[in-house]
Structures are given as structure tokens and as C-alpha cells.
Amino acid sequence: MKPTAPYIRWNQANLERHHRKRVEKDAGCFEELMGINPPPMSVEQYRQRSLDTVAGSWAEYEAEGWDVEKRKYSEARAYYVDNDLVCSITDVPRSEFVTCFHAAHDEGKHFHPKFHDADKTAEGIGNRRLRFMQKLQHQIQGKLIRQFKAKRGVPNV
Amino acid sequence: MSDALRGLRNQARDLEKLLKDVKQSERQTSLDSTVDARNSLGDEVVVSRWALLEHFLVTFVEWNQIHERYVRYFGQTEHTASPRWHHLRHECAQTCYNISAGANQAYQELPSRFAQQWLPQAPGHIRHSDGSPDVEALYHEIVQADLQWRTAMACRWQPESPLEDLWQFVSEARYPQTPAASAWQNLANDLRGTQQRLLARFSELEPAAQSDLRYFLRNYRHATLRVSWLEQQGRDNDNSLLFAINNGESGRVSVLRDFLEIELMRDDRPDKEYRIVDRVLGRIADAIREIGYESFVDDVTSEDFLGGEDSPLGSAEINIIPGKGHTACCPVLVAVSRGASRRSKLGFGKIMQEVKVHLTSCAGVTKAVIVLCDTWDSRSFIDEHYVELQAHHRKGVRFLFLMIGAPNTAVSGVRVRF
């Protein structure tokens, strides 16, 4: 069941680290999604968006993800995905956030905010969900995530 | 159950739901109509008709190809794999043909509509804003480009189509003429260009990032059974991006040639036995290099693995430990182990026990034994197995021990002198 009022906390140092990634590594991405002008997005805006993503999620699953920096798999985590394909990741007990980011669509659009798929119509959101399902399938096939367990909105594989 | 079969079953369920939504959308005439996707995505979710058709075509082409490879790879038949899927393939093939052949005006627009989605507006990006490589993004671009190319080729319904095996369901004509064939061909040609750009992007990555990407693509190739011996020239993309990136060193390990030429003493061996071992060794080396030893072991020890010429073992004329394979004694035995645990059924010690039992019951018939392992303890081997194997060696049985190194695609021989 989707949490209606998630009480998931952030470790402050982790929150600031991931916020810094979003505004440096993915500069412009969240700003474009959230209509933040002028940039950059604040820490509080980022924190709120991570909570909103859980509350507004249409998909929820658990998996072990590939940690790019450590180049090995992390422990099992919970993933929440909303209509913009923003993804919030928490620990399995859902007590603490790990990160929040925008799951890239395809063709490198993630790196060019102007190419964000910003269609807010019902069919636009539905089309994004179809693409996400396909992308999730490829993530599982490539073992970018493993030990996958569908909870809501996505099929088991 | 193998991962491949589990994946096929899950994807078949998704395909059934998708097919229902596609059939219900046939009432709409425009590609931009909003259609219900309740079966695929749940109640109150709508999508654009073109997006639903795109998802269906891509999903069906991929599923059908994996299904076809599964049958060959695991030594199954279409009937043993799942009789229910015959009906699903038939239904999907008909629907796919109706859509992609361009029977009506809306469908004839599909290739250009897909081109807008599939051909990148900007070159493939491989780096974040801070300059660090984004391996995950490049992985998805590569996989998408490959899948989109195969879908475009399939929709032509022409020679070398990935759906060639389905023509029987849609037309009496061997190569049915479809109005949209040339449009799909043009899209496929443009996608080849995308693939070439992605290959160039790959070569710009740092070695560590390339290594990570190869790992993901190897897993993807295993999940979709895109192994070299099942690929068909032209039909499956004779310059496949997946193979260009993943194929490194050649398959055959030099020690294997030593074994063939010296240990088997070719002049003294029946030609057939020599050819079987040659083929099996080559196939095992290719399989481990392409999918990794973990996946190799999982597949050949799964309950749905029956072996055969298209399998990772390369022959139907061998015995396999553990597993089914030939029930009668064969000249060649392949034994697969994992770890050294005495409690695991795949532990080296347990497997060697089964090898020795087999050699006793197939005395005089089994002449070549290939043992695969990922751990080696010389002391234990000498204490527990050497003397018995030496006795068999004196009766003409020859042994080759193949050890998996690091990464788990590296294979080398372990010298054992009897």
C-alpha cells in the first residue's frame, strides 16, 4: 500500500551530499522538473521532493542496485517512482532515505534538461510509464539491479 | 527452472495483457488517439496509441527471439517449452503483421513516428555534468538501439527478418509484400548509424567504465540468449553492437589445443570422439567467455537443460554431470562444479565422486573427461581422487581440468600428470 504521509528521515550529511550531486552532476535537471528559477534547487526543496516522490509514487519495488562509486552491489533497498520518473530510494524498513534522482529516459535526455519529457497530460504520463517498464526490464536483464521484488505498479520478473 | 524460462514466462504474461490492450485500441483510427491501457498498466491509465503499438512491437520481437533461442539453447522443443505459447505467438504474429505491414494509412505512418522517438536528437551522452562517465545511461542506449534495430528489421517482413519463423502464421507467401517494408528498412538503416556512434562513444570511456559496461552487456546477452553460436548472419545484425563491445580475446585457450593434440593422441582415437571433444571444448570456451561461468553453471545444471548441439556444451553426444543429457554411456563426459563445499551438490568433491561412479559404470565407453571448476586444492585432489583417476588413465581415459579465473570469463587448464 502506498504510504500517504511518509515519515522517512534523511541523514543530514547524506541529504547534503546527494543534494550537491543533483545540483552539480545533474545541473538543471531537478530545476527544470520542478520549475525552479533561478537555480539551484535548495536542500529543503530537494528533501521535500524526495518525500513527494514516495507519496505520489505509482511504482514500488525492492532490489540490490549497482553502486557506481564502489563498483559493487549495495544491500537491498526500496525504490519509489513517480509520474515524472523521479526515483526515491530508501532502506528496506523505509525509515531513512538513501537518495533521490531523476531516472533518465533514453537517448541521453537526462543530461539535457531541455530534452526532458515534460508532457503532463494523462497519456504523456502513461507513455512514460511504458518506457520505464521497458527500462526496468533492461536494468534487470543487465543486472544493474538484482534480487528484484515487485511491490506495486510493476510486474514481477 | 532456468532464469531464461522464468523470464520468458513472465514476459509472456505481460505480452498477453499488452495484446488485449492493443486489440481494444484497434477501434481508434489515429496514432495520436488516447487509449486505455488497463491490462498493461492498470485501471485509469491511458497512453497514446502509437506508444502502445511501439511497446507491443518491441516486446513481442524481443520475446519471440528469446523464445526461439531458448528452445535451441536448452535443447527443448517448442512443445515442451510451453504449448500455450504457440497460440500466443500466433496471435501476436497476426497482430504484429497487421500493424507493421501498413495495411491502413495510420499504420503506414508508424515508421516515421518511431523514427522521431528512436533517432536521438543529440549524440549519446556518456558523462555527467562533472565529467564522470555514466555507464548506466550508455548501457540503456546500446540495448535500446539494438532492440529498436531488430524491431525495425522484423517489421519489414522480408528476408533475414527476426520474425522469419512466424511467416507461417501470417501469409502463404514466403515473403509477403507489405506497403511499409521500405519505410521500415530506411529506419533500420538509420538505426545502424546510431549503433556506430554508440560504439565510438564506448571507445572513449575509461577502462574501468568499459569493464563495467561489458559486465552489464554480458548479463544482458545472457538474459536474452544472444550468444554467438545462435546468431545468424544478417538476420540478427551481422555487426551487432553487443558483440563488437563484448568480444575480446578469442575463444580457444591454448592448453585446449595441447589437450587435443597430445592427450587425446589423435591418431589413436576415433575421429568422431576427437571431433566431439574439439567441438565441446570450443563451445565451452565461447560460452564462458560470453556469459560468464556463474551463468554457464546455472544454465547447464537447471532442470530445463537437455543439452544438444546448440547448447553451451555443443553436443548431444555427451554425458553431463550433474544433469540429464544422454542416459546411455557416451565417449565424452563433461562435469561442472562450483565451489568446494562438501554440502553443496555442485561442490568439487561431490562432482568428482559422481565422475568416478560414471567411469565405473561406463568403463570402456567413456574415454575423455572434461571437468570444470572454479576452485582448486591440489592436496585434497591428490588425497581424494588422484589414485582412482590414475587407474582410469591407465585404461585409456583422458582428463582435462578447466579452471575458471578472474574475471569469471577467464578459463585455463590445470596440469595433472598421471
Side-chain angles (χ1 to χ4, degrees):
Chain A
M1 184 124 87
K2 182 171 71 174
T4 51
Y7 295 104
I8 309 171
R9 66 183 190 89
W10 273 96
N11 168 279
Q12 188 61 28
N14 196 38
L15 172 63
E16 288 170 5
R17 186 164 78 87
H18 283 276
H19 167 260
R20 209 162 33 247
K21 271 192 191 176
R22 300 289 85 81
V23 298
E24 290 174 8
K25 204 168 167 178
D26 306 333
C29 172
F30 268 60
E31 286 82 357
E32 200 268 346
L33 282 177
M34 294 164 66
I36 294 171
N37 197 12
M41 167 180 66
S42 70
V43 173
E44 179 52 29
Q45 284 170 324
Y46 177 63
R47 191 191 69 84
Q48 190 57 50
R49 183 56 195 253
S50 66
L51 284 165
D52 292 343
T53 296
V54 174
S57 61
W58 61 272
E60 180 185 352
Y61 54 93
E62 290 175 5
E64 294 173 5
W66 178 260
D67 187 314
V68 173
E69 286 162 16
K70 294 175 185 167
R71 294 185 72 217
K72 61 178 192 174
Y73 289 98
S74 66
E75 57 195 16
R77 302 237 163 98
Y79 293 70
Y80 293 87
V81 185
D82 72 11
N83 282 336
D84 283 332
L85 301 190
V86 174
C87 180
S88 281
I89 303 180
T90 74
D91 58 2
V92 166
R94 275 82 167 166
S95 62
E96 188 169 309
F97 279 105
V98 174
T99 187
C100 176
F101 62 97
H102 186 211
H105 304 191
D106 44 27
E107 283 106 54
K109 287 176 184 172
H110 172 73
F111 303 103
H112 275 249
K114 69 175 181 176
F115 291 133
H116 266 154
D117 177 1
D119 189 348
K120 302 286 187 195
T121 61
E123 63 268 26
I125 291 169
N127 296 349
R128 269 201 295 283
R129 288 196 192 184
L130 277 180
R131 291 220 168 146
F132 182 81
M133 304 277 257
Q134 200 169 77
K135 189 183 166 197
L136 184 62
Q137 165 91 347
H138 293 157
Q139 279 187 310
I140 293 165
Q141 287 170 325
K143 292 189 183 166
L144 279 83
I145 58 175
R146 65 181 192 185
Q147 305 299 331
F148 176 85
K149 289 180 197 164
K151 294 293 180 186
R152 186 169 45 89
V154 288
N156 239 330
V157 291
Chain B
M1 183 193 309
S2 64
D3 286 346
L5 183 57
R6 188 176 297 112
L8 275 172
R9 287 186 177 176
N10 288 328
Q11 208 170 17
R13 270 200 300 272
D14 294 341
L15 204 46
E16 284 168 350
K17 294 175 186 173
L18 204 44
L19 186 61
K20 281 184 189 159
D21 285 334
V22 168
K23 283 181 180 267
Q24 281 166 12
S25 80
E26 281 170 356
R27 286 191 288 270
Q28 305 290 340
T29 52
S30 165
L31 289 181
D32 293 307
S33 302
T34 301
V35 296
D36 201 326
R38 69 182 61 200
N39 294 293
S40 317
L41 293 176
D43 288 338
E44 298 171 9
V45 181
V46 294
V47 296
S48 302
R49 188 164 175 236
W50 65 263
L52 183 67
L53 297 178
E54 179 203 49
H55 191 61
F56 167 71
L57 290 174
V58 165
T59 302
F60 173 56
V61 168
E62 184 179 51
W63 180 82
N64 186 68
Q65 285 204 291
I66 297 173
H67 172 262
E68 191 208 5
R69 292 193 192 106
Y70 169 81
V71 169
R72 294 162 63 196
Y73 185 97
F74 283 85
Q76 297 274 348
T77 65
E78 287 202 23
H79 295 290
T80 56
S82 174
R84 185 172 151 186
W85 291 346
H86 182 81
H87 176 72
L88 178 63
R89 291 177 77 219
H90 192 159
E91 290 273 308
C92 287
Q94 295 251 307
T95 305
C96 178
Y97 181 76
N98 291 340
I99 296 167
S100 56
N104 64 44
Q105 184 64 36
Y107 288 151
Q108 286 179 28
E109 290 170 22
L110 266 182
S112 59
R113 184 63 65 94
F114 286 0
Q116 288 169 20
Q117 299 297 320
W118 293 357
L119 298 175
Q121 297 163 25
H125 289 267
I126 60 169
R127 298 194 186 277
H128 294 282
S129 305
D130 64 357
S132 60
D134 192 332
V135 172
E136 180 168 345
L138 189 53
Y139 163 78
H140 282 293
E141 288 201 51
I142 289 168
V143 165
Q144 286 278 58
D146 182 74
L147 191 49
Q148 286 159 358
W149 182 88
R150 281 184 285 132
T151 301
M153 287 293 282
C155 289
R156 298 173 314 143
W157 294 93
Q158 292 297 300
E160 296 172 352
S161 165
L163 294 180
E164 194 169 335
D165 58 315
L166 296 177
W167 276 325
Q168 57 178 312
F169 295 138
V170 304
S171 172
E172 288 173 6
R174 184 73 183 105
Y175 301 126
Q177 292 302 310
T178 63
S182 59
W184 288 112
Q185 181 66 65
N186 291 340
L187 177 55
N189 293 343
D190 289 337
L191 286 164
R192 274 270 178 96
T194 300
Q195 290 180 313
Q196 293 307 313
R197 280 196 292 279
L198 288 172
L199 189 54
R201 291 284 176 268
F202 169 79
S203 64
E204 295 166 15
L205 286 174
E206 296 81 350
Q210 284 189 352
S211 173
D212 286 351
L213 184 54
R214 281 202 172 102
Y215 168 71
F216 297 138
L217 288 174
R218 188 161 50 243
N219 294 330
Y220 176 74
R221 281 179 61 182
H222 175 244
T224 54
L225 301 179
R226 295 289 298 279
V227 289
S228 58
W229 64 92
L230 295 183
E231 295 282 292
Q232 291 173 258
Q233 284 291 324
R235 178 171 154 172
D236 294 305
N237 191 353
D238 50 3
N239 289 314
S240 171
L241 188 53
L242 298 181
F243 286 85
I245 288 173
N246 259 110
N247 283 5
E249 59 199 26
S250 63
R252 196 60 65 91
V253 180
S254 62
V255 71
L256 304 184
R257 192 153 300 284
D258 289 345
F259 175 77
L260 286 171
E261 297 299 330
I262 297 169
E263 287 290 321
L264 272 193
M265 294 181 290
R266 182 170 189 166
D267 292 341
D268 294 347
R269 297 279 164 163
D271 227 23
K272 186 178 175 188
E273 183 185 310
Y274 186 92
R275 276 189 283 109
I276 291 172
V277 175
D278 184 38
R279 183 184 169 87
V280 167
L281 285 177
R283 180 61 57 77
I284 286 174
D286 285 341
I288 291 173
R289 179 173 51 83
E290 292 180 25
I291 67 175
Y293 188 63
E294 284 292 315
S295 297
F296 173 85
V297 173
D298 287 342
D299 287 347
V300 303
T301 59
S302 68
E303 59 191 39
D304 40 309
F305 183 78
L306 299 178
E309 299 221 339
D310 286 333
S311 78
L313 294 177
S315 175
E317 298 170 271
I318 58 173
N319 294 119
I320 309 163
I321 288 174
K324 298 167 187 168
H326 234 283
T327 47
C329 292
C330 295
V332 180
L333 168 68
V334 175
V336 175
S337 73
R338 179 159 58 200
S341 168
R342 292 179 190 280
R343 274 172 285 189
S344 165
K345 65 176 184 176
L346 289 180
F348 183 78
K350 268 232 166 88
I351 293 297
M352 287 308 301
Q353 287 301 118
E354 291 188 46
V355 167
K356 289 183 280 190
V357 167
H358 175 94
L359 286 173
T360 301
S361 50
C362 292
V365 180
T366 299
K367 292 296 188 182
V369 180
I370 303 167
V371 179
L372 290 129
C373 57
D374 58 359
T375 181
W376 184 263
D377 181 338
S378 291
R379 175 50 55 194
S380 294
F381 180 82
I382 290 169
D383 286 347
E384 296 171 30
H385 311 296
Y386 183 84
V387 171
E388 284 176 81
L389 297 188
Q390 187 180 48
H392 288 292
H393 188 269
R394 286 192 185 123
K395 294 175 193 168
V397 180
R398 293 295 178 262
F399 297 90
L400 174 65
F401 293 90
L402 292 177
M403 169 78 175
I404 308 305
N408 74 345
T409 55
V411 185
S412 63
V414 179
R415 282 277 179 201
V416 177
R417 209 172 286 136
F418 288 106

